[in-house]
């Protein structure tokens, strides 16, 4: 470790610039103006080459209603599968039999909590799950997310894991208007199928901690990350179903990479909006 900025006495403010390698963990900051990166210089690590990408979002006066994610689009068995690369949702740790899986916290489910138990198959979650004291594994489709999680709850499940079914959108990761008392998470179709075949009856755990990247009201929030080459989907969600503009403020968003804006929106999207983009 080394000191890269230091200071002592100053008046009401002082600004110091310093470099940070792009392949470190993503960081977040807020600003009132935004200058996108001027070059598309990849950062090369021993395992991956990635490109500096910045997400800029100015929410309306209800920033807690806004969530967003960037997912890498992969083709599996002829179908597109989304793997979340980064988002501003609560941090979720999902482990089965000692192996960690990428998971997205579902809005309106329990937060700042943890759950543990054997992994239990609940099919599509159309009826009460027989998963007393266990973690419900449920396939997406056929009914609402809220119904699936409720059927896990009434069956005594301590948490719900919903896996994708080939649908490309990641816009509906919410249980609204229902609020669950257990944590609920969303995983990829590939991971769900693997767990269905190999993980049932195995020890599992979920830990959901508070949102690490809250959006500041009436401020251009800028999040920097380093993404490998590929095709990505950006999804922005407003749980108030009225976007991030108009009657509640002049919200906007954009994604910049290589000195140019690759995704841009004014915020009048209702409940959600998705955009595809490529890196580089």
């Amino acid at each position: 470790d080394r000191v890269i900025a230091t200071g002592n006495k100053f008046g009401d403010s002082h600004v110091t610039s310093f470099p940070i390698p792009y392949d470190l963990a993503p960081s977040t900051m807020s600003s009132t103006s935004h200058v996108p990166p001027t070059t598309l210089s990849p950062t090369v690590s021993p395992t991956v080459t990635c490109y500096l990408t910045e997400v800029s979002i100015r929410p309306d006066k209800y920033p807690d209603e806004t969530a967003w994610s960037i997912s890498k689009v992969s083709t599996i068995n002829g179908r597109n599968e989304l793997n979340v690369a980064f988002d501003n949702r609560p941090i979720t740790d999902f482990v089965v039999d000692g192996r960690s899986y990428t998971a997205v916290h579902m809005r309106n489910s329990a937060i700042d909590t943890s759950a543990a138990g054997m992994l239990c198959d609940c099919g599509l979650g159309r009826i009460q799950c027989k998963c007393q004291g266990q973690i419900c594994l449920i396939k997406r489709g056929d009914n609402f997310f809220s119904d699936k999680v409720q059927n896990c709850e009434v069956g005594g499940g301590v948490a719900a894991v919903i896996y994708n079914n080939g649908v490309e959108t990641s816009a509906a990761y919410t249980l609204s208007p229902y609020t669950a008392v257990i944590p609920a998470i969303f995983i990829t179709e590939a991971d769900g199928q693997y767990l269905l075949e190999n993980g049932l009856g195995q020890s599992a755990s979920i830990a959901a901690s508070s949102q690490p990247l809250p959006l500041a009201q009436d401020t251009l929030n800028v999040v920097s990350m380093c993404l490998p080459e590929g095709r990505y989907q950006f999804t922005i969600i407003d749980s108030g179903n009225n976007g991030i503009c108009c009657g509640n403020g002049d919200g906007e968003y954009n994604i910049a990479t290589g000195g140019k804006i690759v995704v841009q929106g004014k915020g009048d999207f209702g409940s959600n909006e998705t955009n595809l983009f490529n890196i580089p």
Side-chain angles (χ1 to χ4, degrees), residues 85-274:
F86 198 84
D87 65 20
N88 77 322
R89 300 168 190 266
I91 298 172
T92 302
D93 294 319
F94 177 44
V95 178
V96 180
D97 195 26
R99 176 180 173 182
S100 296
Y101 295 84
T102 299
V104 176
H105 178 265
M106 302 189 75
R107 294 173 70 91
N108 284 54
S109 71
I111 196 65
D112 287 329
T113 188
S114 61
M118 299 299 181
L119 196 64
C120 172
D121 182 18
C122 190
L124 285 165
R126 288 180 293 187
I127 60 175
Q128 179 177 319
C129 302
K130 297 179 180 179
C131 296
Q132 179 69 40
Q134 301 178 77
I135 293 177
C136 307
L137 180 65
I138 309 172
K139 185 176 182 179
R140 181 180 189 176
D142 200 54
N143 56 347
F144 293 117
F145 289 141
S146 55
D147 294 335
K148 296 175 185 292
V149 175
Q150 280 183 279
N151 283 328
C152 176
E153 284 182 324
V154 297
V158 296
V161 178
I162 298 176
Y163 63 95
N164 208 357
N165 62 349
V167 179
E168 292 187 38
T169 180
S170 61
Y173 295 153
T174 179
L175 307 181
S176 180
Y178 177 71
T179 299
V181 298
I182 63 173
I185 62 174
F186 195 90
I187 64 174
T188 66
E189 180 180 22
D191 285 345
Q193 290 290 351
Y194 176 84
L195 291 172
L196 187 64
E197 296 172 5
N198 303 281
L200 297 180
Q202 300 296 323
S203 177
S205 64
I206 292 173
S209 59
S210 295
Q211 185 167 297
L213 298 175
L215 296 173
Q217 178 182 340
D218 296 326
T219 300
L220 190 64
N221 299 261
V222 182
V223 179
S224 300
M225 64 198 73
C226 202
L227 297 178
E229 179 178 347
R231 188 160 178 77
Y232 291 84
Q233 176 176 293
F234 172 76
T235 299
I236 186 167
I237 305 167
D238 181 71
S239 61
N241 298 319
N242 57 4
I244 55 172
C245 76
C246 313
N248 294 321
D250 297 319
E252 60 180 329
Y253 67 87
N254 67 64
I255 299 176
T257 187
K260 64 178 182 179
I261 303 294
V262 294
V263 170
Q264 190 167 27
K266 281 297 182 184
D268 52 346
F269 53 79
S271 63
N272 65 81
E273 187 168 74
T274 61

Side-chain angles (χ1 to χ4, degrees), residues 59-77:
D60 59 17
K61 63 181 181 180
Y62 299 109
D64 291 343
E65 293 182 347
T66 304
W68 61 269
S69 67
I70 288 181
S71 302
K72 189 169 186 180
V73 182
S74 303
T75 302
I76 300 176
N77 296 326

